[in-house]
Amino acid sequence: ASSIWSHVAFQGYDSGGQGSYTGSVGATGSAKSVDFGDTAPGHGSFSIFFSDPSISGSNVAFQGLYSGGQGIYTGTVGATGAAKIVDTGDTAPGHGAFTAFGSTASISGSNVAFPGYYSGGQGLYPGTVGAPGSTKLVDDGDTAPGHGASSTL
């Protein structure tokens, strides 16, 4: 589980599947963000979630899979639903389509960062809550400050 300030975000499992949930410190109970069977924006139902969601203030970031792909999504503490940042098929800046994502999306305020893979490499990409798309932070082969080209991120 992730927590910061007065909210927590966690991944939960039950007999029907799994989901991403939030709660408030000092309060009993939790609220569903998304779970198995809810709609992945622009696609079918979510089928699995990787790792715990990340939380910052009232913003939550997570990775979800759907039939035929996966993506990085955001939600809001106490609210149901997901908003897309990127998914497989979207363009990895400077490359072709994203083919997969690392299992953890990080969030700070409204800034989301995630590892993304494309044919022939990988990189780290930032996005913004409420704005689909991403930009490049660093890719395989970029020069590491004070060193040569990076080979693995």
Side-chain angles (χ1 to χ4, degrees):
S2 295
S3 71
I4 186 164
W5 306 85
S6 60
H7 302 294
V8 296
F10 61 95
Q11 182 172 283
Y13 298 87
D14 61 36
S15 61
Q18 67 183 110
S20 177
Y21 305 91
T22 61
S24 295
V25 174
T28 302
S30 61
K32 175 180 98 168
S33 292
V34 293
D35 63 16
F36 185 80
D38 287 347
T39 300
H43 301 284
S45 299
F46 283 114
S47 58
I48 195 168
F49 300 94
F50 281 131
S51 68
D52 286 325
S54 296
I55 188 168
S56 180
S58 61
N59 293 318
V60 178
F62 60 94
Q63 180 188 13
L65 276 70
Y66 51 86
S67 178
Q70 58 186 282
I72 304 296
Y73 302 93
T74 60
T76 303
V77 170
T80 301
K84 177 181 117 171
I85 297 291
V86 294
D87 59 31
T88 48
D90 288 344
T91 300
H95 304 283
F98 282 113
T99 58
F101 302 98
S103 63
T104 302
S106 297
I107 190 165
S108 178
S110 61
N111 300 306
V112 178
F114 57 91
Y117 300 87
Y118 51 86
S119 180
Q122 62 183 328
L124 297 174
Y125 302 91
T128 304
V129 171
S134 65
T135 57
K136 173 186 143 182
L137 180 63
V138 62
D139 283 330
D140 283 345
D142 287 353
T143 300
H147 301 279
S150 60
S151 59
T152 304
L153 299 175

